[in-house]
Amino acid sequence: MKIINKITKLNRPCFSFEFFPPKTDEGDIKLFKVVQELQNLNPDFVSVTYGAGGSTREKTFSICEKIQKEFNIVTMSHYTCVGSGREDIKENLNKLSKIGIENIIALRGDPPKDTGKFQKHEKGFLNATELIKFIREEGFEFGIAAGCYPEKHPDSPTPEQDVENLKKKIDSGTDFLLTQLFFENSKFYTFINLAKKNGINIPIIPGIMPITSFSQIQRFKDLANCSIPDVLIQKLDKVKENPDEFKKISLDFTVNQCKDLLQNDVFGIHLYTLNQSNATLEILKLIK
Ligand SMILES: Cc1cc2nc3c(=O)[nH]c(=O)nc-3n(C[C@H](O)[C@H](O)[C@H](O)COP(=O)(O)OP(=O)(O)OC[C@H]3O[C@@H](n4cnc5c(N)ncnc54)[C@H](O)[C@@H]3O)c2cc1C
């Protein structure tokens, strides 16, 4: 089932979860245990990320297949075109189709670490707009999501230019958008207003990351280029050696963030689970 058809028929916000492909066999066992625990929450869909530069391709695909077939949850594969030419991309998409995956989030991807600017593969694509256009032109019948950036993509000089490019990405055949993680809802609301002004009317689902450790904050701040309120950092810094207090403050923060978004009529909430069930279970219990 195409996710866009499912989520636009709901008379409520949609809820979805994101997993990543583990590096070890133990990680795999843990992941499927987590999927089983979260299955009880009836997510509207789940997604599985794609390692940098396509490094987890086979694993991403096989996890998607297993979750969809064995747990009966609509599963979307992340897919990036960095380092791939058209023939390679076509082959990968055919593989996804063959295993029954009907939804992908089509992304450009990032250049390998410390190599600077994104370089187009000589037979590939410069951005996700070109990738999505290709998927549609080749006649693949995937439901297609794309990424968007409440605090703008780092390659874009201004938020206005980023949203103009986002509109082109949508016009090439995107069904709905998932955002980069963010911690300040005001940035998301400003982005939504700018998107609307640019004629963007498809569903935009915020991606929300629960905070599970102090070191994680800095890592994701750098990785995702997002701002984190100073007051939150100060509060968490004070309790970083006290796991119970840390958990309480971080959980409160995420629950309040989600509640505020839901009160402001967001289309849904996409939770980055980090392959753990506890935070997701607690957050959902308090916001649903
Ligand atoms: C929800 C989400 C999930 C992600 N999952 C993964 C994952 O699983 N694996 C992974 O490796 N990475 C993932 N990423 C990271 C992503 O690969 C990087 O952020 C990458 O730098 C950009 O990918 P994109 O598809 O958003 O790029 P694009 O949409 O191509 O944007 C990149 C730059 O190109 C510009 N641009 C886009 N279209 C045009 C156009 N038509 N003309 C001119 N400029 C244009 C944009 O404004 C932007 O500045 C994810 C990101 C998000 C938001």
Side-chain angles (χ1 to χ4, degrees), residues 37 47 81 104 129 201 217 260:
E37 283 160 1
S47 75
C81 63
I104 59 171
T129 306
N201 297 312
I217 305 178
D260 180 76

Side-chain angles (χ1 to χ4, degrees), residues 208-227:
I208 301 297
M209 169 82 74
I211 302 165
T212 54
S213 76
F214 196 72
S215 60
Q216 173 211 16
I217 305 178
Q218 195 55 46
R219 212 170 54 242
F220 283 116
K221 195 172 176 207
D222 296 342
L223 212 71
N225 196 39
C226 63
S227 38

Side-chain angles (χ1 to χ4, degrees), residues 135-150:
I135 300 170
R136 292 296 188 213
E137 280 170 2
E138 287 293 317
F140 286 102
E141 292 193 354
F142 293 107
I144 302 180
C148 64
Y149 302 82

Side-chain angles (χ1 to χ4, degrees), residues 1-10 103 143 175-176:
M1 172 186 274
K2 286 201 183 157
I3 292 171
I4 189 66
N5 294 337
K6 183 171 187 187
I7 62 177
T8 46
K9 284 197 188 93
L10 301 171
N103 297 278
D175 297 327
F176 72 97

